[in-house]
């Protein structure tokens, strides 16, 4: 154990050192990591060069990592990392735009601005019909470019009396081909650095956009920049830019909770609005300086330019959607569309589309939360839940009859748990960086991991003889150590940085530190099973049944399934999964799980389930609806759609798309396996011998009278010798009602024996008369069933 603890500390120290090495050298600042994405204009056009093609990036310290991905074609040389020495990439410091001939990447650090011109995919492949399975990425020849080329880079000039460096940025390409960089000045206001078109000689130009802020002194007036204010009111927190009518409009959300719109052409502020006016209650908020405010833009031909403003108010946040409206004489105003209350989690990023707000949060447990909401047609203000894949389990359940090595390998290399890069990094740390791993395929990695752990285990064994159990414990210890290392790297790579939604295809992606998560549409039955209870309030959330009565029953049944799922312990879930692997009866496995739930129901979960079951009018019909929805073969529209798409051989033909589809199918299969497990357990609870009234709620009062009667007979049995046959018969009835047939049969036989004794005694005493034939004890005797 001491060795295990020390080894774990070493792994943690190495992990921290690796993160510290990413900090920029003196002279640069450290900003939070960020991410973003660019979608080609024709990414939604089938069979085009840029079909289902996009670029995503992430920033960390002094480096930018860019990856180009396609779901239709495998892209070669599609990854590049750019490093800017002694600098830090600004938040929002990366943007990508496409022109007719080029893809332009604009990068802004706290000390410099850069422009990279790359060939457009349509210029690399002239043919409109793409049939190749492999294509070159636009990053193929990026190594030939210089980040310090004077025609495509410039040092940010320092301003007189200004201390510090920019802390936020937004960049864009104008219609004339100029590269503009809007920088949030630390003294307030905005500084715009402009690079002339790449084929035009000239120098860099700088424009400062700032409110006329002056203070009165006895000797006259003094500019606030010279005065040295540390927190000016117009300090910009978030920037966004849109070109309209041959002018660049710069939108700035400032520390004083105001939104300002600047015209670059006129170098003037055309619009100013107080965002606190859209808060229902802003008492005390005005005195606080805004720190976490965010601003996003969305443009469409139908709605025009919309602005999404997030106000980070303590204990509550709010999204406000506004529309820019042009009036006479080049005047502009903002029209309020919607105000949406935020949740209590910490906002990481959000994006605005022409109809929805998509938001990314992290809760108190560091769990990623993604939700979206329609800002025009959602009167209830209810956010739609997105089901994010949970992180891997912190501990691996190992059966007493299973090999630890095989169990850990199965968990490590099963779908939806670990990425190959996380396993590679863990393997490098575990090997103490002794050699480079060349084969990163799943099979190759599995061999490398097995060899590394087994070699480490064998080198630690000092005794020549030990028992099989001791060797098994050593296996668990070493495999657990490697597994915990994988968990650390998987957690680090899973850190959410950004969110992107394509306006051309509707594809939504969660941008993480080490990989990208695609958000796919969810089937109705999976949506119901995965939703939390607060998202199942109304019958409108149940699109699986037209009859409102059936919809209500389905909702109640799904809520019962969620309670069952929460009550199943990890140990019992593992036992049931193992039983199914061994081809044992699912019904018997469900019975064992239910018995465990009944014996360990300290939180009265079974009672809660029973209460909800009583409200289901027709449980059989509700179950049939859910089972029908899980049968994909009954969905004729889906089948027709698949047949149509399969004829397009190039669509979703890349290895990334194949992996995406396979993981999606795997996730659906795993979800529905859990669904069927919980439904089977619920059915067993319906038919449980001690709960005969579940199917017939009107008999529940009668689960209760039999139980009370059984307890009464048991209490009077030791001392009451009157009508023993009747008592035994009633006890048999109780056993029969509770499903204990053997005990019931024994009681009936004892009752018959007692009645025969009473009849024999009555004959001896001569007390038998005609009325005795109708006495209760003879009636009971006549109703005793024949032994089976």
């Amino acid at each position: 154990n001491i060795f295990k603890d020390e080894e774990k500390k070493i792994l943690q120290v190495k992990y921290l050192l690796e993160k510290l090495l990413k900090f920029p050298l003196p002279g640069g600042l450290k900003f939070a990591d960020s991410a973003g994405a660019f979608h080609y204009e024709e990414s939604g056009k089938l069979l085009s060069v840029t079909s289902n093609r996009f670029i995503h990036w992430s920033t960390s310290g002094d480096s930018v990592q860019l990856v180009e991905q396609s779901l239709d074609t495998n892209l070669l040389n599609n990854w590049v990392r750019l490093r800017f020495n002694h600098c830090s990439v600004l938040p929002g410091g990366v943007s990508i735009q496409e022109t007719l001939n080029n893809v332009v990447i604009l990068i802004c650090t706290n000390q410099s601005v850069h422009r990279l011109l790359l060939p457009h995919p349509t210029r690399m492949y002239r043919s409109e019909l793409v049939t190749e399975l492999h294509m070159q990425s636009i990053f193929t020849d990026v190594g030939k470019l210089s980040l310090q080329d004077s025609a495509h880079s410039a040092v940010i000039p320092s301003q007189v009396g200004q201390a510090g460096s920019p802390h936020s940025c937004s960049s864009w390409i104008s219609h004339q081909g100029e590269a503009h960089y809007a920088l949030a000045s630390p003294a307030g206001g905005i500084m715009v650095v402009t690079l002339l078109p790449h084929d035009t000689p000239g120098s860099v130009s700088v424009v400062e956009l700032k409110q006329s802020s002056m203070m009165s002194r006895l000797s006259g007036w003094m500019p606030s920049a010279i005065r040295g204010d540390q927190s000016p009111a117009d300090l910009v927190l978030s920037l966004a830019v849109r070109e309209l009518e041959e002018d660049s409009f710069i939108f700035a959300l400032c520390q004083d909770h105001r939104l300002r719109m600047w015209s670059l052409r006129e170098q003037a502020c055309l619009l100013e609005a107080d965002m606190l006016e859209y808060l229902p209650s802003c008492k005390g908020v005005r005195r606080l300086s805004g720190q976490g405010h965010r601003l996003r833009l969305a443009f469409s031909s139908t709605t025009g330019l919309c602005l999404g403003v997030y106000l980070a108010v303590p204990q509550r946040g709010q999204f406000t959607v506004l529309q820019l409206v042009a009036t006479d004489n080049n005047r502009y105003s903002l029209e309020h569309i919607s105000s949406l209350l935020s949740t209590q989690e910490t906002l990481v990023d959000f994006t605005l589309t022409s109809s929805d707000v998509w938001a990314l949060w992290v809760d108190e447990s560091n769990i990623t939360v993604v939700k979206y909401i329609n800002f025009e047609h959602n009167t209830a203000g209810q956010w739609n839940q997105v089901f994010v894949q949970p992180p891997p389990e912190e501990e691996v359940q190992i059966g007493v009859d299973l090999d630890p090595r095989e169990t850990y390998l199965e968990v490590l290399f099963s779908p939806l748990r670990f990425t190959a890069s996380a396993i590679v990094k863990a393997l490098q740390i575990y090997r103490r960086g002794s050699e480079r791993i060349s084969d990163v395929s799943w099979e190759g990695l599995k061999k490398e991991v097995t060899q590394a752990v087994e070699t480490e285990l064998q080198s630690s064994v000092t005794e020549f003889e030990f028992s099989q159990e001791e060797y098994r414990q050593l296996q668990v210890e070493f495999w657990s150590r490697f597994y915990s290392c994988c968990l650390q790297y998987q957690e680090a790579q899973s850190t959410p940085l950004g969110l992107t939604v394509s306006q051309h295809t509707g594809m939504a992606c969660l941008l993480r530190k080490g990989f990208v998560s695609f958000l796919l549409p969810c089937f109705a039955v999976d949506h119901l099973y995965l939703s939390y209870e607060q998202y199942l309030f109304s019958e409108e959330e149940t699109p699986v049944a037209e009859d409102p009565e059936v919809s209500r029953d389905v909702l109640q049944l799904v809520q019962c399934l969620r309670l069952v799922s929460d009550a199943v312990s990890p140990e019992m879930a593992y036992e049931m999964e193992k039983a199914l692997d061994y081809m044992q009866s699912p019904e018997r496995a469900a019975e064992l799980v239910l018995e465990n739930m009944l014996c360990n129901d300290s939180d009265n979960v079974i009672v809660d389930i029973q209460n909800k079951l009583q409200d289901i009018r027709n449980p059989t019909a509700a179950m049939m609806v859910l089972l029908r929805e899980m049968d994909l073969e009954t969905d004729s529209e889906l089948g027709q759609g698949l047949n149509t798409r399969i004829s397009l051989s190039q669509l979703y033909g890349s290895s990334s798309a194949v992996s995406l589809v396979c993981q999606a199918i795997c996730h659906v299969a795993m979800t529905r396996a859990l669904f069927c497990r919980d439904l089977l357990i619920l059915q067993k609870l319906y038919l449980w011998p001690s709960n005969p009234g579940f199917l017939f709620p009107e008999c529940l009062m009668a689960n209760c009278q039999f139980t009370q009667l059984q307890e009464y007979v048991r209490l009077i049995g030791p001392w009451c010798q009157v009508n023993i046959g009747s008592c035994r018969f009633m006890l048999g009835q109780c056993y029969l009602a509770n499903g204990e047939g053997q005990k019931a049969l024994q009681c009936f036989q004892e009752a018959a024996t007692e009645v025969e004794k009473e009849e024999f005694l009555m004959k001896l005493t001569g007390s038998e008369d005609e009325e005795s034939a109708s006495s209760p004890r003879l009636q009971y005797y006549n109703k005793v069933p024949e032994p089976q």
Side-chain angles (χ1 to χ4, degrees):
N1 291 333
I2 295 177
F3 176 74
K4 180 179 179 180
D5 294 339
E6 291 300 321
E7 185 73 14
K8 187 175 182 180
K9 291 179 181 179
I10 292 175
L11 293 176
Q12 292 175 347
V13 169
K14 289 183 177 180
Y15 172 72
L16 292 175
L17 285 175
E18 187 179 79
K19 291 182 69 67
L20 288 173
L21 289 175
K22 294 182 179 180
F23 275 80
L25 296 175
L29 300 176
K30 175 66 177 178
F31 296 104
D33 296 347
S34 62
F38 159 77
H39 301 267
Y40 287 96
E41 189 73 25
E42 293 188 347
S43 59
K45 183 179 178 181
L46 293 178
L47 301 182
S48 70
V49 178
T50 57
S51 171
N52 290 312
R53 190 164 170 175
F54 67 104
I55 302 172
H56 62 90
W57 65 84
S58 62
T59 68
S60 179
D62 62 348
S63 64
V64 177
Q65 177 177 290
L66 299 118
V67 181
E68 185 180 24
Q69 285 194 345
S70 171
L71 297 181
D72 294 350
T73 307
N74 293 323
L75 298 179
L76 305 176
N77 305 309
N78 64 330
W79 176 92
V80 65
R81 183 189 296 274
L82 306 176
R83 178 157 291 175
F84 304 87
N85 294 328
H86 308 289
C87 300
S88 294
V89 182
L90 293 177
V94 180
S95 66
I96 301 178
Q97 288 183 239
E98 60 181 319
T99 63
L100 188 61
N101 298 317
N102 299 103
V103 174
V104 186
I105 302 177
L106 305 178
I107 302 175
C108 184
T109 73
N110 63 325
Q111 299 185 26
S112 59
V113 295
H114 305 267
R115 173 178 56 192
L116 281 80
L117 286 177
L118 301 176
H120 197 278
T122 56
R123 298 307 175 195
M124 298 176 64
Y125 291 85
R126 296 287 183 176
S127 175
E128 293 185 359
L129 184 63
V130 178
T131 58
E132 294 89 346
L133 293 178
H134 299 276
M135 295 176 60
Q136 292 291 338
S137 167
I138 63 171
F139 297 133
T140 298
D141 298 326
V142 73
K144 299 178 181 179
L145 302 178
S146 174
L147 295 176
Q148 309 303 328
D149 186 353
S150 59
H152 300 287
S153 65
V155 176
I156 298 175
S158 59
Q159 299 296 311
V160 178
Q162 175 176 307
S165 59
H167 56 270
S168 181
C169 173
S170 183
S171 53
W172 71 103
I173 299 292
S174 67
H175 294 303
Q176 292 77 23
E178 300 171 321
H180 298 290
Y181 304 83
L183 308 172
S185 172
I190 302 170
M191 180 171 58
V192 181
V193 179
T194 300
L195 297 178
L196 296 180
H198 66 278
D199 54 356
T200 303
S203 59
V204 178
S205 63
V206 179
V207 172
E208 186 176 10
L209 308 176
K210 187 173 176 61
Q211 296 286 99
S212 57
S213 177
M214 308 289 286
M215 67 170 290
S216 176
R217 296 191 64 182
L218 294 177
S219 59
W221 297 90
M222 178 181 292
S224 62
I226 300 177
R227 190 176 71 246
D229 285 354
Q230 297 301 314
S231 57
D234 60 343
L235 180 67
V236 178
L237 302 177
S238 185
L239 283 166
V241 179
R242 178 71 189 185
E243 282 213 327
L244 292 173
E245 301 174 358
E246 298 184 354
D247 192 5
S248 296
F249 289 159
I250 304 175
F251 297 87
L253 187 57
C254 303
Q255 187 172 253
D256 59 357
H257 319 292
R258 291 181 177 272
L259 176 67
R260 296 177 173 91
M261 185 183 80
W262 295 83
S263 167
L264 181 60
R265 183 179 61 187
E266 300 181 13
Q267 299 183 21
C269 182
L270 304 183
L271 177 65
E272 184 173 327
D274 185 3
M275 291 294 101
L276 294 183
E277 293 181 357
Y278 301 102
L279 280 175
S281 176
C282 57
K283 183 179 180 180
V285 176
R286 194 173 298 278
R287 296 192 300 269
L288 302 175
S289 61
Q291 297 298 328
H293 297 344
R294 308 285 183 91
L295 174 64
R296 299 290 185 269
L297 302 181
F299 181 84
S300 68
S301 57
T302 56
T303 61
L305 183 63
C306 290
L307 295 81
V309 177
Y310 173 73
L311 297 179
V313 180
Q315 305 302 323
R316 47 174 286 214
Q318 177 176 292
F319 293 91
T320 303
V321 182
L322 307 167
Q323 184 179 20
L324 183 66
V325 179
T327 58
D328 297 334
N329 301 323
N330 292 329
R331 298 286 182 177
Y332 295 89
S333 63
L334 294 174
E335 181 178 337
H336 179 260
I337 297 180
S338 179
S339 291
L340 308 167
L341 292 179
S342 173
T343 54
Q344 296 299 322
E345 298 88 357
T346 302
L347 183 71
V348 177
D349 187 25
F350 85 96
T351 185
L352 182 72
T353 70
S354 59
S355 58
D356 301 311
V357 174
W358 288 72
L360 167 64
W361 289 278
V362 173
D363 64 10
E364 296 179 354
S365 302
N366 203 31
I367 301 299
T368 301
V369 178
V370 180
K371 300 176 185 177
Y372 68 95
I373 187 172
N374 185 290
F375 57 76
E376 286 188 301
H377 307 290
N378 196 323
T379 56
Q382 181 69 47
W383 289 79
N384 297 286
Q385 184 183 7
V386 177
F387 312 110
V388 181
Q389 179 68 23
E393 300 83 0
E394 293 186 1
E395 295 184 1
V396 177
Q397 300 289 335
I398 306 177
V400 294
D401 55 341
L402 296 180
D403 181 19
R405 178 181 62 183
E406 296 300 325
T407 303
Y408 273 100
L409 286 175
E410 181 180 356
V411 174
L412 285 169
F413 292 94
S414 62
L416 309 177
R417 282 191 173 94
F418 293 93
T419 61
S421 57
I423 297 178
V424 168
K425 285 182 175 292
L427 191 56
Q428 290 173 339
I429 289 295
Y430 199 81
R431 285 177 167 176
R432 299 173 177 85
S434 58
E435 55 184 290
R436 184 176 180 85
I437 302 171
S438 57
D439 187 3
V440 294
S441 64
W442 281 117
E443 290 301 320
L445 273 181
K446 185 180 291 187
K447 294 179 181 178
E448 295 277 357
V449 168
T450 303
Q451 181 181 359
V453 178
E454 293 296 327
T455 301
E456 191 76 11
L457 189 153
Q458 295 296 335
S459 63
S460 67
V461 174
T462 58
E463 300 179 6
F464 292 100
E465 294 184 1
F466 44 83
S467 65
Q468 184 176 359
E469 181 60 28
E470 290 174 336
Y471 182 75
R472 188 177 187 277
Q473 286 298 114
L474 281 176
Q475 280 187 305
V476 172
E477 179 180 341
F478 279 86
W479 279 103
S480 175
R481 190 180 308 157
F482 179 78
Y483 182 79
S484 63
C485 191
C486 292
L487 280 178
Q488 291 184 28
Y489 278 104
Q490 183 68 23
E491 181 181 1
Q493 292 192 353
S494 301
T495 303
L497 299 180
L499 190 66
T500 177
V501 180
S502 171
Q503 63 176 343
H504 311 296
T505 63
M507 180 181 67
C509 294
L510 175 58
L511 307 175
R512 300 183 184 268
K513 189 177 181 63
F515 57 95
V516 175
S517 296
F518 291 83
L519 306 180
L520 304 179
C522 187
F523 289 96
V525 65
D526 302 278
H527 171 80
L528 287 175
Y529 178 72
L530 294 173
S531 293
Y532 294 123
E533 187 170 355
Q534 60 265 33
Y535 293 95
L536 296 176
F537 283 143
S538 64
E539 297 174 6
E540 297 176 356
E541 295 295 330
T542 314
V544 296
E546 297 180 358
D547 188 351
E549 295 295 331
V550 177
S551 296
R552 181 184 176 280
D553 286 349
V554 168
L555 280 177
Q556 289 291 114
L557 186 61
V558 170
Q559 291 176 6
C560 294
L561 292 176
R562 288 306 305 264
L563 290 175
V564 171
S565 177
D566 295 338
V568 176
S569 64
E571 294 78 12
M572 293 308 301
Y574 169 76
E575 291 296 330
M576 186 167 185
E577 183 176 350
K578 185 177 69 173
L580 297 180
D581 288 340
Y582 290 161
M583 303 300 292
Q584 297 179 4
S585 170
E587 290 79 5
R588 180 53 185 160
E591 290 178 0
L592 295 177
V593 174
L594 181 57
E595 290 177 0
N596 181 269
M597 291 171 57
L598 292 170
C599 296
N600 299 279
D601 188 22
S602 58
D603 297 330
N604 294 325
V605 177
I606 301 298
V607 176
D608 296 337
I609 296 176
Q610 291 174 350
N611 293 334
K612 289 186 178 295
L613 289 177
Q614 295 178 31
D615 296 331
I616 301 178
R617 296 180 177 86
N618 193 339
T620 304
M623 290 182 186
M624 293 302 297
V625 168
L626 292 177
L627 292 175
R628 182 195 66 211
E629 289 295 320
M630 283 198 294
D631 187 1
L632 295 179
E633 294 184 358
T634 60
D635 195 341
S636 58
E637 295 182 0
L638 177 64
Q640 295 173 1
L642 287 176
N643 292 333
T644 303
R645 290 178 180 269
I646 287 175
S647 63
L648 303 174
S649 59
Q650 198 63 31
L651 184 67
Y652 301 139
S654 69
S655 57
S656 299
V658 171
S659 175
L660 174 64
V661 173
C662 291
Q663 291 192 50
I665 294 175
C666 178
H667 187 274
V668 171
M670 293 171 63
T671 300
R672 297 194 175 187
L674 296 177
F675 185 102
C676 293
R677 179 202 70 183
D678 297 336
L679 185 59
L680 183 58
I681 295 174
L682 190 65
Q683 290 175 344
K684 289 297 178 181
L685 182 60
Y686 259 117
L687 304 175
W688 195 248
S690 61
N691 302 317
F694 274 0
L695 291 177
F696 309 100
E698 64 273 9
C699 299
L700 289 174
M701 186 59 65
N703 231 6
C704 182
Q705 292 174 349
F706 272 121
T707 303
Q708 294 174 351
L709 182 58
Q710 179 179 346
E711 182 66 15
Y712 173 75
V713 173
R714 188 186 66 80
L715 290 174
I716 67 173
W719 57 270
C720 182
Q721 299 299 319
V722 179
N723 294 332
I724 299 178
S726 299
C727 290
R728 301 306 297 171
F729 181 81
M730 291 305 300
L731 186 59
Q733 289 283 74
C734 295
Y735 282 134
L736 188 62
N738 291 332
E740 300 176 89
Q742 283 299 117
K743 293 182 179 180
L745 179 60
Q746 181 180 353
C747 288
F748 289 147
Q749 290 173 342
E750 293 174 355
T753 302
E754 291 296 331
V755 171
E756 289 176 353
K757 289 181 180 178
E758 292 179 7
E759 289 181 347
F760 179 71
L761 291 174
M762 284 188 294
K763 289 180 179 179
L764 288 178
T765 58
S767 59
E768 182 181 14
D769 52 23
E770 295 180 358
E771 295 179 359
S772 62
S774 60
S775 63
R777 59 179 179 271
L778 290 183
Q779 289 181 353
Y780 288 140
Y781 174 70
N782 292 331
K783 293 180 181 178
V784 173
E786 291 292 331
Q788 297 295 325

